[in-house]
mmCIF file of all heavy atoms in Angstrom:
data_model
loop_
_atom_site.group_PDB
_atom_site.id
_atom_site.type_symbol
_atom_site.label_atom_id
_atom_site.label_comp_id
_atom_site.label_asym_id
_atom_site.label_seq_id
_atom_site.Cartn_x
_atom_site.Cartn_y
_atom_site.Cartn_z
ATOM 1 N N PHE A 219 17.781 3.048 42.972
ATOM 2 C CA PHE A 219 16.437 2.827 42.432
ATOM 3 C C PHE A 219 16.294 1.388 41.843
ATOM 4 O O PHE A 219 15.138 0.879 41.887
ATOM 5 C CB PHE A 219 16.100 3.880 41.413
ATOM 6 C CG PHE A 219 14.796 3.774 40.754
ATOM 7 C CD1 PHE A 219 13.560 3.915 41.582
ATOM 8 C CD2 PHE A 219 14.545 3.440 39.473
ATOM 9 C CE1 PHE A 219 12.299 3.798 40.979
ATOM 10 C CE2 PHE A 219 13.389 3.378 38.869
ATOM 11 C CZ PHE A 219 12.261 3.518 39.616
ATOM 12 N N SER A 220 17.361 0.819 41.335
ATOM 13 C CA SER A 220 17.130 -0.518 40.716
ATOM 14 C C SER A 220 16.784 -1.572 41.654
ATOM 15 O O SER A 220 16.363 -2.666 41.258
ATOM 16 C CB SER A 220 18.531 -0.879 39.988
ATOM 17 O OG SER A 220 19.443 -1.156 40.961
ATOM 18 N N LEU A 221 16.923 -1.325 42.931
ATOM 19 C CA LEU A 221 16.481 -2.268 43.918
ATOM 20 C C LEU A 221 14.914 -2.524 43.942
ATOM 21 O O LEU A 221 14.441 -3.518 44.361
ATOM 22 C CB LEU A 221 16.879 -1.764 45.376
ATOM 23 C CG LEU A 221 18.396 -1.799 45.692
ATOM 24 C CD1 LEU A 221 18.646 -1.090 46.993
ATOM 25 C CD2 LEU A 221 18.877 -3.194 45.690
ATOM 26 N N LEU A 222 14.258 -1.524 43.304
ATOM 27 C CA LEU A 222 12.796 -1.632 43.218
ATOM 28 C C LEU A 222 12.301 -2.374 41.905
ATOM 29 O O LEU A 222 11.203 -2.642 41.742
ATOM 30 C CB LEU A 222 12.147 -0.240 43.146
ATOM 31 C CG LEU A 222 12.238 0.579 44.534
ATOM 32 C CD1 LEU A 222 11.823 1.996 44.334
ATOM 33 C CD2 LEU A 222 11.363 -0.113 45.606
ATOM 34 N N TYR A 223 13.353 -2.623 41.023
ATOM 35 C CA TYR A 223 12.969 -3.282 39.714
ATOM 36 C C TYR A 223 12.128 -4.483 39.881
ATOM 37 O O TYR A 223 11.071 -4.723 39.241
ATOM 38 C CB TYR A 223 14.135 -3.556 38.843
ATOM 39 C CG TYR A 223 14.865 -2.343 38.347
ATOM 40 C CD1 TYR A 223 16.016 -2.431 37.559
ATOM 41 C CD2 TYR A 223 14.350 -1.032 38.513
ATOM 42 C CE1 TYR A 223 16.673 -1.296 37.057
ATOM 43 C CE2 TYR A 223 14.943 0.126 37.990
ATOM 44 C CZ TYR A 223 16.103 -0.049 37.305
ATOM 45 O OH TYR A 223 16.739 1.063 36.740
ATOM 46 N N PRO A 224 12.585 -5.554 40.705
ATOM 47 C CA PRO A 224 11.824 -6.713 40.860
ATOM 48 C C PRO A 224 10.442 -6.477 41.325
ATOM 49 O O PRO A 224 9.447 -7.179 40.946
ATOM 50 C CB PRO A 224 12.658 -7.587 41.883
ATOM 51 C CG PRO A 224 14.060 -7.034 41.738
ATOM 52 C CD PRO A 224 13.862 -5.557 41.463
ATOM 53 N N LEU A 225 10.248 -5.566 42.239
ATOM 54 C CA LEU A 225 8.998 -5.243 42.793
ATOM 55 C C LEU A 225 8.083 -4.656 41.665
ATOM 56 O O LEU A 225 6.902 -5.043 41.584
ATOM 57 C CB LEU A 225 9.060 -4.231 43.913
ATOM 58 C CG LEU A 225 7.829 -3.707 44.573
ATOM 59 C CD1 LEU A 225 7.074 -4.793 45.279
ATOM 60 C CD2 LEU A 225 8.118 -2.584 45.597
ATOM 61 N N ILE A 226 8.664 -3.769 40.889
ATOM 62 C CA ILE A 226 7.838 -3.060 39.836
ATOM 63 C C ILE A 226 7.439 -4.118 38.862
ATOM 64 O O ILE A 226 6.166 -4.229 38.441
ATOM 65 C CB ILE A 226 8.717 -1.968 39.097
ATOM 66 C CG1 ILE A 226 8.917 -0.824 40.101
ATOM 67 C CG2 ILE A 226 8.005 -1.531 37.810
ATOM 68 C CD1 ILE A 226 9.941 0.167 39.520
ATOM 69 N N LEU A 227 8.281 -4.963 38.469
ATOM 70 C CA LEU A 227 8.004 -6.015 37.381
ATOM 71 C C LEU A 227 6.973 -7.065 37.998
ATOM 72 O O LEU A 227 6.017 -7.388 37.228
ATOM 73 C CB LEU A 227 9.251 -6.710 37.001
ATOM 74 C CG LEU A 227 10.261 -5.898 36.225
ATOM 75 C CD1 LEU A 227 11.551 -6.641 35.901
ATOM 76 C CD2 LEU A 227 9.727 -5.430 34.886
ATOM 77 N N GLU A 228 7.031 -7.381 39.216
ATOM 78 C CA GLU A 228 6.111 -8.361 39.825
ATOM 79 C C GLU A 228 4.785 -7.719 39.912
ATOM 80 O O GLU A 228 3.710 -8.408 39.720
ATOM 81 C CB GLU A 228 6.651 -8.891 41.139
ATOM 82 C CG GLU A 228 5.650 -9.811 41.879
ATOM 83 C CD GLU A 228 5.471 -11.152 41.141
ATOM 84 O OE1 GLU A 228 6.244 -11.474 40.250
ATOM 85 O OE2 GLU A 228 4.477 -11.848 41.512
ATOM 86 N N THR A 229 4.653 -6.513 40.368
ATOM 87 C CA THR A 229 3.451 -5.782 40.412
ATOM 88 C C THR A 229 2.718 -5.711 39.065
ATOM 89 O O THR A 229 1.557 -6.018 38.993
ATOM 90 C CB THR A 229 3.685 -4.326 40.943
ATOM 91 O OG1 THR A 229 4.313 -4.367 42.162
ATOM 92 C CG2 THR A 229 2.366 -3.578 41.055
ATOM 93 N N ALA A 230 3.526 -5.394 37.982
ATOM 94 C CA ALA A 230 2.881 -5.374 36.630
ATOM 95 C C ALA A 230 2.427 -6.685 36.261
ATOM 96 O O ALA A 230 1.374 -6.858 35.617
ATOM 97 C CB ALA A 230 3.942 -4.816 35.669
#
Side-chain angles (χ1 to χ4, degrees):
F219 178 65
S220 68
L221 294 172
L222 292 170
Y223 289 177
L225 178 65
I226 292 171
L227 294 174
E228 178 63 16
T229 301

